[in-house]
Amino acid sequence: HTRSVCLPSPAFRSHQMMAFRSVSLILVGFSLALVSSVEMEVCSSRAECERRGHIKKDAFEALPLDEIDQRDLLQAKPLGSLKDLPAKTSPITRYRTRTFLEMQPYLIAYGSVIGCVSPLASCYQLVKLNPHVQVPFKQMLRLSFAILPQQAALKDAQMTIATPIKKYCNPWAAFALIGVLQGGLYGHSNVHFANSLGIGSRPSLSSVFRGVGFAGSRDLISQGFPFVLAPVLKEKVFDTLLPSKSPNSWLSGLKRWVSVFSMSVFGTYLSQGLHNSQITMQANPHLGYVGALKQVFAVNGLAALWKGAEARVGLLLIVAFLNEGLLKKAWQPVEVSQTKAKRTKPAKKPLVSKPTPAAGHVKGVRRGSIGAATGPATVPQAA
C-alpha cells in the first residue's frame, strides 16, 4: 500500500530552518572554543614531527635534512683557517600543526561537497526502510539541497572537533566518539526528511543525537575493520600475489588503497543493521533501543541488516577521494621557518694607538741597563 505524502506548512518549515541554523552556529562555536584551547606544537625536525604523529614517515624522503647536514660536516677536510669553515647550505626547517583558520579552507570545501551527497544518501536510506512511502528522486534531491548550508556547517564542525579527538584519544575511543558526531549529522538529515515526508512520529531537534549507542557501535565496526584487517589483507594476500620492490611505489600504494577500501566496504555492510536502527530511533522519538530494533526488523525482516548499505558505500567512495585531496592537506604540518646559515667571519680587532717610547728607552729597556742586562756577569774584586 502507498499513501500520499503530506508536506508541512511554510510556517513550520521556517521555524524548523531557524532551529537548524541555531544548532549549526552552536556546534561551530563549540568547535572554535575547543580548537583554540589546544596548544600549537612546534617540531624542531622532521624526525620529531614523525614521532609526534603529525606526519607519516613515508611523506618525506628516507634521509632527513638534519642527518644530511651532519654527514656533510663529518666529511669536511681539516681546516686551515677560519676562512675555510664550510657554510651549512641545507635549510633548517621547523614544522607545526595547522591552526584553526589555516584548516578552514580545506574543511569548508570538504563539508560543502559532503553536504551535497550525504543528505541524499540519508533520504534514500530512510525511504528504503519505509517502503509504504514513495518519493520521486527529484523531490529527494530538492529536499536534500534545502539543508545544504546547515549540513556543510555541521560537517565542518564535526571534522574540526574530530581533529583533536583523533590526535589525543585511543584509536578505538576515537572511532566511537567520531561515530557519535557522525550520528548527529545523520540525525539532522533524518529529522528533516522525516518531518518533510511524514515518516515516523514528528521528531524534533532533540532527536538528532538519539541512538548514540548504535552510532558508536556502527563506527567501531566500519572503522575498526579497516584499521585492523587492511594491513593483514595487504601483507598476506596482495603482497604475496603482487610483490613490489619499493614500499613507496605506485603498486604498493594501490595495494594499500584496495585493502583499506575493501575492508571498509565489508565493515559498512556488517554495520548497516545498527545504522538502520539509529535511523528508526531518530524518526520515532517514542522508541527506545529495543523498540527500534523490533520495529525495523518487523517492517523489513532480515533485510534490515543490509538494506540501504549501497548508499553508504557510494558515500564511502566519494569520501576516500576527498580524504586524499582535502583532508590530508588540512592535517599536514606546515613549515615555521626556512633559513640558511651564513658564513661567519672573524671579528676585526679594534685599532689601539701605541704610546710613543720615552727618551732613554729602547723597546721598554733603559739605555743604561743594556750592558747589565745582556753582558757577562762581573766578578767582585777583593779590597
Side-chain angles (χ1 to χ4, degrees), residues 177-216:
L177 291 174
I178 294 175
V180 171
L181 296 175
Q182 184 67 34
L185 196 67
Y186 289 147
H188 172 263
S189 300
N190 293 329
V191 168
H192 168 69
F193 294 130
N195 286 317
S196 300
L197 301 175
I199 299 175
S201 53
R202 291 289 181 180
S204 62
L205 287 177
S206 60
S207 302
V208 167
F209 282 99
R210 296 197 76 223
V212 293
F214 290 137

